[in-house]
Structure formats: C-alpha cells, structure tokens
C-alpha cells in the first residue's frame, strides 16, 4: 500500500515531490503541470483548428493509401484510447486501418473481448503478434532483478519493434497512436533511455537473463534509424489531439457501439501493467501513479482538483487484491511471492547504471535541433 506522504503537493494539480523529478516551486505549482500548460496551445486543438488539422490528415492518409490495402496502421491494446481512435477514424472518416496488437502474455480478459468486438464491428483487419512467452518472462525477470523503475520497458519495446517491422512489410507510411494530450499530458522529467532502445534491453538481459533470446523482438538503433529516418516508416500521428477528446464520453460511446467492457484503471488492460502501477511503483518509489493521470485531467479541464483529491483518499487497490495480484504475477513469472516482494523492496537502480544508446540518440536529437534552428534563421 502507499504510505501517507508529507511531501509538498502542487496547488494546481495533485502531483507531489515523492516522485523523483517532480519539483513544487515557490508559487506552489509543480514543474510537471506548468510544463503541460505551456505545451497545451501547440499540442491540443479541440476546436476549429483541430477540425482543420483532422481534415488535412485524413486527406493525406487517403492519398498515401491510394492503390494500397491500407491507409494507416493503428495499435490496439484493448484500452479506451486506442479503441476510440480506431472507431473514430474508421467510422467517421472512412479510413482503412490495419490494426496491430502485440500479445506479450498479459492481456486481461476484458481487453481481449474489447479487441474482438471492435475489429468485428469495424470489419477491420488485425495482425496479432504473439511474443514467445518463455523469452518475455526471461526479459521481465531480468528487468525486475535489475531493480530499475520502468518495468513496462520490455512490453513497450516489443510493441515498437513489431510496429516498425509491420510498417516495412506492408509498406504503410503512417501510424495512428491513441496517445493524447487530454488524458496524459503530464510527464515526469527523467534521464532514462527511450523504450525504443534495444541496446538497453540487451544489456539488462545480458546481466540478469537466463536463456538466449532467439525470437523476442529487439530493435537495434540501426533498424530504428533506417526504418524511421531513411525510409520514413511510419510517420506518427496523434489524431485524438485534434478533437475535444473526453475519455468518459468515449467509454460510453464504445459501450453503446461494441458492448465495451471496463478493465479497471488506466492501462490495466495489461495485467502486468496493472501490477506495475498499483503495486510495484507504490512499493518501489512510494508514488501513486494515479496522481499523474488525475493531474492530466485537471490540466485539460476534465476534472477538478477537489474531485481528484477525493479519488486519492481511497487506495488504488485493497491489500487483499494486492496480495492476490502479487501471487498471480509471481507464479506467471516463475517466482515465489517472497522473491518478487524482495525485488520490489530492493534499492531503486537508475536506468543509467546499464548500457544504452541514449548518449547517441541525445547527440542526434541535439544535431536535429540545431539544424531546425538554422533553417528558421
């Protein structure tokens, strides 16, 4: 369970300084929501400007898809954001979408139901890539032994790697993501590598893994740069930023259209991600990730701060459910509950303690930024 915190709390949102990288300034506002509010005008267009941007995007995607089987790729996790995105772009704008789902062995039953109902309802083609479970388990055990914070890294990396390979195979130029400003605009500053960093996966697995990886999709930097920068596949778009996206309204629409089933808190369509957010993070970092999600809704005007504080008065999970979920995850990973708890209670190790391509990518980002500034001049 999450201990009561005495850390400073933001007066605008509900972030606290418990999470490394969060700073509440002299004015009472934290750096996270201050940054999100500064980015809002250039990242979210819920009005007429968003309508113009959406129309231009749809026209561009249909032109790209002319003579091909698909206009764009869309990732489906079984969660609300990606499902509503597919529903909105296919049913309202007539796009021919190729749905991609990566099954890393942790799908909740409602998530599987939701994907099936959506794909059938939209008559949409779906590619499901099932990652070999023995290798997924070995990589996840390695990350737990490494003691790093981002335990969703192995699942996220597999998704990115598969997405790039499917984009190349089907020659689809664009990818639509359900990532959106309205419900996930807050970011905690960190110095860790991106989830696209295959070297980071290899280094942690080399140190803590127990079996060779022959099918787990690890993306090298060369593969990432060749696909995204040289071939330009796929371009990434966030269409939900072009509409007045309201998550609760989206949920109701999906329930009516497809018999959508609730799976719990944000990102809990994956049983491992639910464990990571509800149990691992609070125990490892003493941080309630609901603060990040609720604060995003405060920034976008979809929730009041008082309502968010009321939600936080109750724990994200009961002690009984936490014990059951811990036993489930431990058994699936081939660990005892005590072994898993010991990993959660071990000192937090920064991602920078393990090899990655972050230094190289940072240099490339810096060069690109300077080139853009030179062009503007």
């Amino acid at each position: 369970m999450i201990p009561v915190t005495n850390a400073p709390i933001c007066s605008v949102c509900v972030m606290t300084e418990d999470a490394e990288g969060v700073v509440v300034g002299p004015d009472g506002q934290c750096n996270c929501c201050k940054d999100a509010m500064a980015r809002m005008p250039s990242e979210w267009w819920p009005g007429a400007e968003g309508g113009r941007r959406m129309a231009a995007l749809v026209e561009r995607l249909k032109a790209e898809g002319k003579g091909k089987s698909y206009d764009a790729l869309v990732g489906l996790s079984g969660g609300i954001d990606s499902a509503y995105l597919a529903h909105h772009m296919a049913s309202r704008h007539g796009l021919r979408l190729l749905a991609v789902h990566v099954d890393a062995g942790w799908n909740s039953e409602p998530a599987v139901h939701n994907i099936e109902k959506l794909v059938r309802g939209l008559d949409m083609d779906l590619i499901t890539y099932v990652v070999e479970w023995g290798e997924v388990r070995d990589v996840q055990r390695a990350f737990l032994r490494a003691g790093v914070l981002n335990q969703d890294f192995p699942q996220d990396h597999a998704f990115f790697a598969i997405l790039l390979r499917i984009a190349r195979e089907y020659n689809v130029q664009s990818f639509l993501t359900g990532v959106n400003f309205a419900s996930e605009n807050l970011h905690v500053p960190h110095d860790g590598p991106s989830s696209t960093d295959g070297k980071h996966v290899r280094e942690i697995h080399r140190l803590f893994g127990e079996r060779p990886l022959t099918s787990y999709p690890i993306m090298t930097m060369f593969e990432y740069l060749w696909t995204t920068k040289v071939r330009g596949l796929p371009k990434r778009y966030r269409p939900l930023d072009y509409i007045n996206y309201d998550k609760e309204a989206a949920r109701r629409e999906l329930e009516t259209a497809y018999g959508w089933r609730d799976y719990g808190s944000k990102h809990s369509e994956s049983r491992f991600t639910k464990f990571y957010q509800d149990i691992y993070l609070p125990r490892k970092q003493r941080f309630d990730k609901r603060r990040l999600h609720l604060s995003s809704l405060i920034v976008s005007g979809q929730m009041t701060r008082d309502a968010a504080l009321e939600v936080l008065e109750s724990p994200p999970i009961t002690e009984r459910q936490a014990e059951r979920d811990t036993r489930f995850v431990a058994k699936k990973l081939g660990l005892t509950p005590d072994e898993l708890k010991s990993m959660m209670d071990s000192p937090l190790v920064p991602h920078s303690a393990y090899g990655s391509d972050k230094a190289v990518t940072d240099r490339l980002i810096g060069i690109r930024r300077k080139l853009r500034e030179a062009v503007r001049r």
Side-chain angles (χ1 to χ4, degrees), residues 271-288:
R271 293 198 66 177
F272 183 83
T273 301
K274 183 178 187 302
F275 161 80
Y276 168 59
Q277 292 186 162
D278 292 349
I279 302 171
Y280 183 90
L281 277 178
R283 190 155 175 165
K284 192 81 169 178
Q285 198 190 27
R286 294 174 176 264
F287 180 68
D288 185 345

Side-chain angles (χ1 to χ4, degrees), residues 44 80 84 182 243-252 301-302:
W44 189 32
I80 291 176
Y84 187 79
I243 65 176
N244 188 16
Y245 180 58
D246 182 306
K247 198 155 190 162
E248 287 308 309
R251 184 198 307 273
R252 293 192 294 270
Q302 296 186 27

Side-chain angles (χ1 to χ4, degrees), residues 134-165:
E135 295 193 12
V136 173
R137 181 175 63 183
D138 200 51
V139 174
Q140 290 191 297
R141 284 161 55 116
F143 267 73
L144 284 166
R145 290 179 180 128
V148 293
L149 189 64
N150 186 2
Q151 291 296 324
D152 258 346
F153 203 108
Q155 292 188 101
D156 291 344
H157 183 80
F159 173 75
F160 288 127
I162 294 303
L163 176 68
L164 261 61
R165 293 172 192 181

Side-chain angles (χ1 to χ4, degrees), residues 178-212:
V179 172
N180 64 90
F181 185 91
S183 68
E184 47 196 357
N185 51 70
L186 256 72
H187 308 296
V188 178
H190 69 89
D191 292 325
S194 162
S195 296
T196 60
D197 196 321
K199 181 177 179 180
H200 194 54
V201 178
R202 286 195 184 278
E203 284 297 300
I204 287 181
H205 182 262
R206 179 181 64 81
L207 291 170
F208 301 102
E210 297 175 313
R211 56 178 288 181

